[in-house]
Amino acid sequence: MSAAAPVPAVGNSYPVLQESPNATNDAVVVESPQQLDATPGQPHTDQTSYFASSDLEAAADSPAKAASGSRSSADLLRRLSLVDGDRPAAPYVDLQVEIPALNLTGRIISAAFCIPHTLGFRSGRDWDIRPRRGTSALFDSFTHLSETDTLWDHTLVGWTGEIKPSDEIPSRPQSPVEGSTRSKNSLNKTLPVPLNNLSAPIPVDGSARPAAPQSHVERIRVTKTDRECLEKQLRRDKSGKIVPVWLMDRSEDDKTDVVLQDQGRWRRYAEHEIYTLFHYKQHEPTDGRAERRWWTDYCRMNQKFADKILEIYKPGDIVWVHDYHLLLLPSILRQRLPQIYLGFFLHIPFPSSEFLRCLSRRKEILTGVLGANMIGFQTYSYSRHFSSCCTRILGFDAASAGVDAYGAHIAVDVFPIGIDAAACAKLAYGNSVIEDKIQRIRAQYAGQKIIVGRDRLDTVRGVAQKLQAFEKFLERHPEWRGKVVLIQVTSPTSIEEQKVDGGHKMAHEISNLVAKINGLYGGLEYTPVFHFPQYLSQDEYFALLRVADVALITSVRDGMNTTGLEYVVCQRDNHGPLILSEFSGTAGSLTSAMHINPWDLIGVAEAIHQALIMPAEEKANQQRISYRHVTTNTVQLWQKNYLTRLLTNLASFKQSSSTPPLDRALMLTRYRLAKKRLFMFDYDGTLTPIVKDPQAAIPTDRVIRTIKTLAQDKRNAVWIISGRDQAFLEEWMGHISELGLSAEHGSFIRHPETDEWENLTETVDMGWQKEVMEIFQHYTEKTQGSFIERKRIALTWHYRRSDPEYGAFQARECKKFLENTVGKKWDVEVMSGKANLEVRPTFVNKGEIAKRLVTSYGVGQDEPPEFILCLGDDNTDEDMFRALRATKLPQENVFSVTVGASSKQTLASWHLLEPADVIAAVALLNGNVSDSNIDAKVAGAY
């Protein structure tokens, strides 16, 4: 929708969402699409979609027309989302039916750090269960997944959170009594209200300063009976089935009592190390002792989650892991269940590689999350940072669409989260209590424009920048003094942040800024800034969003700020502009909002001025665009899009069957029955790991001993077929006289028991090398860290020491140039390897040498090898696998093995994960594992 689109009439263009007849003051019920029965004579609507039929689409060209005839909140949102815009996405479909190849069970297991409840412990009685505040969009998505119309059977696995005795849990905020201190400052002066689950994690008394966190709480002993009581209560939870994870101070049997003490330890590494660094903040260096303890707890917590998920998992289930507390969980689950369907979504920003490098456990964090089939982010920049980190830190090939790691492709995609717009509108409108509060707020600030800010009190929310910019606004625009107020509500930050922020430095800074502004520009009759360091009740929160003239969000780094989305829903009638930080993940979604740089104080000040003087027509147009986006891109649609994309990716990879792990018992049996055996090994990535410096890839003593023992058996013909040159193979493997060597992909061979090398390309015209060398030299000069390796037959350009992204870019450019020049004049091929480009004659490849060895091994055709084991890890080794498939040998005697993940696209029949597994398998053939243990070990490992 463009800004030049016709502007609808203002006023009552956005009708009030009607309350369900059975709604109460404490809870407002939002009808599901299934509850919307079709009415005769009315346009038909898909009962499982938020979108209307084509008949309604054609008729709805304004909000008023769209709302006409709506029967519920969900129906109204469907209609409003279609006003003057593109047609919506297709309605919800049953993915289990659409993708039968995945054999889905229809069950989804979500893993989130905490369950959506705070728990009060009452020994021997039912637990005190109350709603947990914060991350409302995520909790709403869990509730939606548990509804019958989604066709999924949903279970949430989450930590219990810090359990406290029931009498220590704060009660819901009540209205202050008349004459109390709080009544003079509170937005809500007389009416008791329920707490808003969209506005705050926990309630606090606004008149009191947040208490300093306690590092240790009283020990709580929870019996097995108490735990079973809670689990039974949670199974009946209206938001869906919940399975709690019990995190205890020490390993205890399930039959024993659980002692809970210092429960905050489980969140310390995530919130102190990961959260702060992912928001571009760094701590001062320490001796690392505390971090090591926190890391141990972090690993143990992720293991506990994996254990709990495995207790309820069934093949065909989908596991969806959420957020930074569980970054290790995907790889832990993947190791235990290689075929699991697993998605991960990060709800906070992901930093650039320059920041992530500062995290000591950076590799463990990245490899942990790479256990997922698909990884989702809030914005494209976060996904790009992740892919870049995988390339720069782990050395994996990565692009915007995904990462190739361990032989598998992990999809990376962007899914901006939304809110439950229908529920939000239900809560904000049609409540007489809220209407009364709006009138009181307007009377209290009569004749003044109201700017609203609602943030957590930590440095990434930009509250200090907001106040400084507001001060600059009053300084530059004196005409607004006495005519505008800033109402800033700050909820306490997390426990870990408070511990870092010793002495409440952040709170003191905010208080000082408020006092400074009020002292400079205020007086007896005018107070520019009203600061409320408290959580608001539900009615206060929505009343404030509805009455506001401007909302100001100045976060310096944020994931998805749902306050801005809720503000748009609440500004249905008022059309107040939204000033939004460009560093918030919401900025990419709300493109019609006024985007600002919170560090540019003058720029923010001028944005405030422009928002206050904005013409009504422009405000209405901005609101219309934002409102359509928020009501269309809901949390339900976010959830549906993520699952659809995940299952689509899974189905596309399912079409190619995975390579099974090497059956070592079968291999050993065939080996022992054979009298003529042929072995062909690649070198780099097969016998030794890939390293940054090719010259450093030297074989270990174990590799040499294992290969030498294998070659000393007279029934074995053992060959190393490598892209390495003669000199390297001669230096490190040449002393094994029984070993056959093939250098430069089969260009040169040295037979066992000889010292002479045979040149198989002796008659080939090598005139192409001069041209290729000139081209390689040109790209070497342009690419810092790259170098040329000159072999007798081939030329290789290495960029492993270069910047990985720039090196890969230059390699693509170089390959394209070579194919269009040298490749058209000479009979050569340009091969892309692992961080290298190699040019060689077309007929030179490992497949040719493999066919040569198979043919020449026996005296005649009636005496072929009775056992063949061929191992390799990259594209050049696929030529060997292809050649072996083309032979007439019994395939049960041919063991072609690729080194890498089972999902790797290969012609090999088996796979091993890494070079260490290759050596272990060969050692098995050498007899290093006793016969009695073989079957047990193989069965246990595979």
Side-chain angles (χ1 to χ4, degrees), residues 86 104 120 153 172-173 227 260 270 320 374 404 409 444 524 550 558 600 700 715 849 861 881 895:
D86 298 330
L104 299 174
D153 180 4
R172 294 185 176 189
R227 299 201 301 273
L260 303 177
W320 191 356
M374 186 176 78
D404 294 320
H409 179 79
Q444 184 174 349
L524 294 177
V550 177
D558 207 355
D600 179 10
T700 63
R715 294 168 292 181
I849 197 67
Q861 292 184 353
F881 304 148
F895 290 81

mmCIF file of all heavy atoms in Angstrom, residues 86 104 120 153 172-173 227 260 270 320 374 404 409 444 524 550 558 600 700 715 849 861 881 895:
data_model
loop_
_atom_site.group_PDB
_atom_site.id
_atom_site.type_symbol
_atom_site.label_atom_id
_atom_site.label_comp_id
_atom_site.label_asym_id
_atom_site.label_seq_id
_atom_site.Cartn_x
_atom_site.Cartn_y
_atom_site.Cartn_z
ATOM 1 N N ASP A 86 -3.045 -5.585 -1.020
ATOM 2 C CA ASP A 86 -2.846 -6.796 -1.797
ATOM 3 C C ASP A 86 -3.654 -7.933 -1.206
ATOM 4 O O ASP A 86 -4.016 -7.945 -0.046
ATOM 5 C CB ASP A 86 -1.357 -7.161 -1.813
ATOM 6 C CG ASP A 86 -0.540 -6.070 -2.466
ATOM 7 O OD1 ASP A 86 -1.070 -5.381 -3.359
ATOM 8 O OD2 ASP A 86 0.617 -5.919 -2.068
ATOM 9 N N LEU A 104 4.228 -37.340 9.584
ATOM 10 C CA LEU A 104 4.040 -36.535 10.787
ATOM 11 C C LEU A 104 3.009 -37.158 11.713
ATOM 12 O O LEU A 104 2.021 -37.747 11.259
ATOM 13 C CB LEU A 104 3.592 -35.120 10.400
ATOM 14 C CG LEU A 104 4.561 -34.310 9.541
ATOM 15 C CD1 LEU A 104 3.907 -32.999 9.121
ATOM 16 C CD2 LEU A 104 5.840 -34.028 10.300
ATOM 17 N N GLY A 120 3.794 -20.661 42.951
ATOM 18 C CA GLY A 120 3.904 -20.521 44.385
ATOM 19 C C GLY A 120 3.760 -21.881 45.040
ATOM 20 O O GLY A 120 2.791 -22.608 44.781
ATOM 21 N N ASP A 153 -1.482 -31.159 17.872
ATOM 22 C CA ASP A 153 -1.492 -31.548 19.280
ATOM 23 C C ASP A 153 -0.222 -30.965 19.894
ATOM 24 O O ASP A 153 0.878 -31.445 19.640
ATOM 25 C CB ASP A 153 -1.511 -33.080 19.393
ATOM 26 C CG ASP A 153 -1.529 -33.551 20.848
ATOM 27 O OD1 ASP A 153 -1.608 -32.693 21.746
ATOM 28 O OD2 ASP A 153 -1.430 -34.772 21.075
ATOM 29 N N ARG A 172 -1.699 -9.349 42.472
ATOM 30 C CA ARG A 172 -2.002 -8.443 41.371
ATOM 31 C C ARG A 172 -2.136 -7.018 41.901
ATOM 32 O O ARG A 172 -2.606 -6.807 43.013
ATOM 33 C CB ARG A 172 -3.300 -8.856 40.686
ATOM 34 C CG ARG A 172 -3.196 -10.194 39.996
ATOM 35 C CD ARG A 172 -4.461 -10.495 39.229
ATOM 36 N NE ARG A 172 -4.345 -11.732 38.494
ATOM 37 C CZ ARG A 172 -5.223 -12.154 37.598
ATOM 38 N NH1 ARG A 172 -6.288 -11.419 37.334
ATOM 39 N NH2 ARG A 172 -5.055 -13.293 36.967
ATOM 40 N N PRO A 173 -1.755 -6.027 41.110
ATOM 41 C CA PRO A 173 -1.826 -4.655 41.598
ATOM 42 C C PRO A 173 -3.258 -4.222 41.851
ATOM 43 O O PRO A 173 -4.134 -4.445 41.049
ATOM 44 C CB PRO A 173 -1.195 -3.851 40.456
ATOM 45 C CG PRO A 173 -1.401 -4.691 39.251
ATOM 46 C CD PRO A 173 -1.325 -6.104 39.716
ATOM 47 N N ARG A 227 5.622 -32.580 43.174
ATOM 48 C CA ARG A 227 5.936 -32.420 41.756
ATOM 49 C C ARG A 227 4.838 -33.041 40.886
ATOM 50 O O ARG A 227 4.435 -32.458 39.866
ATOM 51 C CB ARG A 227 7.293 -33.048 41.432
ATOM 52 C CG ARG A 227 8.452 -32.410 42.192
ATOM 53 C CD ARG A 227 9.790 -32.659 41.503
ATOM 54 N NE ARG A 227 10.092 -34.081 41.367
ATOM 55 C CZ ARG A 227 10.688 -34.825 42.281
ATOM 56 N NH1 ARG A 227 11.020 -34.259 43.452
ATOM 57 N NH2 ARG A 227 10.968 -36.095 42.076
ATOM 58 N N LEU A 260 15.576 -26.987 46.128
ATOM 59 C CA LEU A 260 15.761 -25.838 45.247
ATOM 60 C C LEU A 260 16.433 -24.715 46.021
ATOM 61 O O LEU A 260 15.934 -24.275 47.046
ATOM 62 C CB LEU A 260 14.412 -25.371 44.695
ATOM 63 C CG LEU A 260 13.589 -26.409 43.930
ATOM 64 C CD1 LEU A 260 12.259 -25.831 43.514
ATOM 65 C CD2 LEU A 260 14.361 -26.919 42.714
ATOM 66 N N ALA A 270 23.077 -17.255 30.264
ATOM 67 C CA ALA A 270 22.274 -16.739 29.151
ATOM 68 C C ALA A 270 22.045 -15.243 29.268
ATOM 69 O O ALA A 270 22.202 -14.503 28.288
ATOM 70 C CB ALA A 270 20.936 -17.479 29.092
ATOM 71 N N TRP A 320 10.100 -27.573 18.343
ATOM 72 C CA TRP A 320 10.342 -26.154 18.039
ATOM 73 C C TRP A 320 10.983 -25.520 19.275
ATOM 74 O O TRP A 320 10.341 -25.400 20.321
ATOM 75 C CB TRP A 320 9.021 -25.477 17.696
ATOM 76 C CG TRP A 320 9.170 -24.098 17.122
ATOM 77 C CD1 TRP A 320 10.321 -23.383 16.960
ATOM 78 C CD2 TRP A 320 8.115 -23.256 16.625
ATOM 79 N NE1 TRP A 320 10.052 -22.164 16.400
ATOM 80 C CE2 TRP A 320 8.716 -22.053 16.180
ATOM 81 C CE3 TRP A 320 6.742 -23.406 16.527
ATOM 82 C CZ2 TRP A 320 7.962 -21.014 15.649
ATOM 83 C CZ3 TRP A 320 5.993 -22.359 15.988
ATOM 84 C CH2 TRP A 320 6.600 -21.183 15.552
ATOM 85 N N MET A 374 15.947 -25.801 10.582
ATOM 86 C CA MET A 374 15.726 -24.428 10.123
ATOM 87 C C MET A 374 15.856 -23.485 11.305
ATOM 88 O O MET A 374 15.414 -23.798 12.411
ATOM 89 C CB MET A 374 14.350 -24.270 9.476
ATOM 90 C CG MET A 374 14.127 -22.898 8.840
ATOM 91 S SD MET A 374 12.543 -22.750 7.987
ATOM 92 C CE MET A 374 11.450 -22.514 9.384
ATOM 93 N N ASP A 404 25.663 -24.563 5.041
ATOM 94 C CA ASP A 404 26.051 -25.947 4.789
ATOM 95 C C ASP A 404 27.058 -26.348 5.858
ATOM 96 O O ASP A 404 28.208 -25.906 5.851
ATOM 97 C CB ASP A 404 26.670 -26.091 3.398
ATOM 98 C CG ASP A 404 25.658 -25.809 2.296
ATOM 99 O OD1 ASP A 404 24.502 -26.231 2.452
ATOM 100 O OD2 ASP A 404 26.007 -25.154 1.298
ATOM 101 N N HIS A 409 22.387 -29.202 5.046
ATOM 102 C CA HIS A 409 21.982 -27.814 4.777
ATOM 103 C C HIS A 409 20.985 -27.386 5.826
ATOM 104 O O HIS A 409 19.933 -28.014 5.992
ATOM 105 C CB HIS A 409 21.362 -27.684 3.389
ATOM 106 C CG HIS A 409 20.911 -26.288 3.079
ATOM 107 N ND1 HIS A 409 21.791 -25.294 2.689
ATOM 108 C CD2 HIS A 409 19.686 -25.707 3.117
ATOM 109 C CE1 HIS A 409 21.125 -24.174 2.495
ATOM 110 N NE2 HIS A 409 19.844 -24.402 2.748
ATOM 111 N N GLN A 444 -6.753 15.041 33.657
ATOM 112 C CA GLN A 444 -5.541 15.332 34.421
ATOM 113 C C GLN A 444 -4.534 16.112 33.588
ATOM 114 O O GLN A 444 -3.822 16.972 34.109
ATOM 115 C CB GLN A 444 -4.930 14.029 34.925
ATOM 116 C CG GLN A 444 -3.714 14.228 35.824
ATOM 117 C CD GLN A 444 -3.236 12.914 36.422
ATOM 118 O OE1 GLN A 444 -3.915 11.908 36.330
ATOM 119 N NE2 GLN A 444 -2.069 12.944 37.037
ATOM 120 N N LEU A 524 5.327 25.208 39.075
ATOM 121 C CA LEU A 524 4.240 24.790 39.950
ATOM 122 C C LEU A 524 3.039 24.286 39.169
ATOM 123 O O LEU A 524 2.284 23.435 39.645
ATOM 124 C CB LEU A 524 3.831 25.954 40.858
ATOM 125 C CG LEU A 524 4.885 26.416 41.881
ATOM 126 C CD1 LEU A 524 4.361 27.632 42.645
ATOM 127 C CD2 LEU A 524 5.215 25.284 42.839
ATOM 128 N N VAL A 550 1.314 10.693 20.886
ATOM 129 C CA VAL A 550 2.528 10.190 20.232
ATOM 130 C C VAL A 550 3.095 9.076 21.101
ATOM 131 O O VAL A 550 3.071 9.175 22.333
ATOM 132 C CB VAL A 550 3.598 11.306 20.056
ATOM 133 C CG1 VAL A 550 4.879 10.731 19.435
ATOM 134 C CG2 VAL A 550 3.067 12.448 19.204
ATOM 135 N N ASP A 558 17.092 -3.979 19.844
ATOM 136 C CA ASP A 558 15.891 -4.661 20.283
ATOM 137 C C ASP A 558 15.516 -5.730 19.266
ATOM 138 O O ASP A 558 15.858 -5.625 18.079
ATOM 139 C CB ASP A 558 14.741 -3.654 20.418
ATOM 140 C CG ASP A 558 13.702 -4.088 21.430
ATOM 141 O OD1 ASP A 558 13.832 -5.211 21.954
ATOM 142 O OD2 ASP A 558 12.773 -3.305 21.687
ATOM 143 N N ASP A 600 20.948 10.117 17.753
ATOM 144 C CA ASP A 600 20.860 11.465 17.189
ATOM 145 C C ASP A 600 19.798 12.237 17.957
ATOM 146 O O ASP A 600 18.613 12.247 17.594
ATOM 147 C CB ASP A 600 20.510 11.377 15.699
ATOM 148 C CG ASP A 600 20.374 12.743 15.039
ATOM 149 O OD1 ASP A 600 20.727 13.758 15.678
ATOM 150 O OD2 ASP A 600 19.909 12.789 13.884
ATOM 151 N N THR A 700 48.789 -38.067 11.954
ATOM 152 C CA THR A 700 49.200 -38.375 13.317
ATOM 153 C C THR A 700 49.868 -39.751 13.345
ATOM 154 O O THR A 700 49.780 -40.524 12.390
ATOM 155 C CB THR A 700 47.992 -38.376 14.257
ATOM 156 O OG1 THR A 700 47.092 -39.412 13.844
ATOM 157 C CG2 THR A 700 47.272 -37.032 14.216
ATOM 158 N N ARG A 715 47.062 -59.748 1.781
ATOM 159 C CA ARG A 715 45.791 -59.832 1.056
ATOM 160 C C ARG A 715 45.206 -58.446 0.758
ATOM 161 O O ARG A 715 44.196 -58.346 0.058
ATOM 162 C CB ARG A 715 44.783 -60.655 1.873
ATOM 163 C CG ARG A 715 45.155 -62.120 2.041
ATOM 164 C CD ARG A 715 44.280 -62.805 3.087
ATOM 165 N NE ARG A 715 44.551 -62.287 4.429
ATOM 166 C CZ ARG A 715 43.942 -62.728 5.527
ATOM 167 N NH1 ARG A 715 43.038 -63.692 5.444
ATOM 168 N NH2 ARG A 715 44.245 -62.228 6.715
ATOM 169 N N ILE A 849 41.524 -43.394 -11.892
ATOM 170 C CA ILE A 849 42.506 -44.222 -11.182
ATOM 171 C C ILE A 849 41.812 -45.354 -10.432
ATOM 172 O O ILE A 849 42.341 -46.464 -10.303
ATOM 173 C CB ILE A 849 43.360 -43.358 -10.226
ATOM 174 C CG1 ILE A 849 44.628 -44.115 -9.823
ATOM 175 C CG2 ILE A 849 42.586 -42.924 -9.022
ATOM 176 C CD1 ILE A 849 45.603 -44.345 -10.927
ATOM 177 N N GLN A 861 39.808 -61.286 -15.499
ATOM 178 C CA GLN A 861 38.483 -60.790 -15.138
ATOM 179 C C GLN A 861 37.775 -61.700 -14.144
ATOM 180 O O GLN A 861 36.829 -61.304 -13.495
ATOM 181 C CB GLN A 861 37.637 -60.641 -16.399
ATOM 182 C CG GLN A 861 38.130 -59.541 -17.324
ATOM 183 C CD GLN A 861 37.216 -59.342 -18.514
ATOM 184 O OE1 GLN A 861 36.277 -60.114 -18.708
ATOM 185 N NE2 GLN A 861 37.492 -58.328 -19.315
ATOM 186 N N PHE A 881 33.361 -42.918 -6.304
ATOM 187 C CA PHE A 881 32.108 -43.604 -5.993
ATOM 188 C C PHE A 881 31.321 -43.917 -7.265
ATOM 189 O O PHE A 881 30.718 -44.990 -7.399
ATOM 190 C CB PHE A 881 31.261 -42.750 -5.051
ATOM 191 C CG PHE A 881 31.948 -42.348 -3.769
ATOM 192 C CD1 PHE A 881 31.663 -41.142 -3.138
ATOM 193 C CD2 PHE A 881 32.901 -43.174 -3.188
ATOM 194 C CE1 PHE A 881 32.284 -40.778 -1.962
ATOM 195 C CE2 PHE A 881 33.532 -42.819 -2.005
ATOM 196 C CZ PHE A 881 33.228 -41.619 -1.401
ATOM 197 N N PHE A 895 32.169 -51.221 -0.400
ATOM 198 C CA PHE A 895 31.815 -50.278 0.663
ATOM 199 C C PHE A 895 32.348 -48.898 0.281
ATOM 200 O O PHE A 895 33.514 -48.584 0.513
ATOM 201 C CB PHE A 895 32.381 -50.737 2.003
ATOM 202 C CG PHE A 895 31.717 -51.963 2.559
ATOM 203 C CD1 PHE A 895 32.078 -53.225 2.115
ATOM 204 C CD2 PHE A 895 30.716 -51.859 3.513
ATOM 205 C CE1 PHE A 895 31.470 -54.361 2.613
ATOM 206 C CE2 PHE A 895 30.101 -52.991 4.023
ATOM 207 C CZ PHE A 895 30.466 -54.240 3.565
#
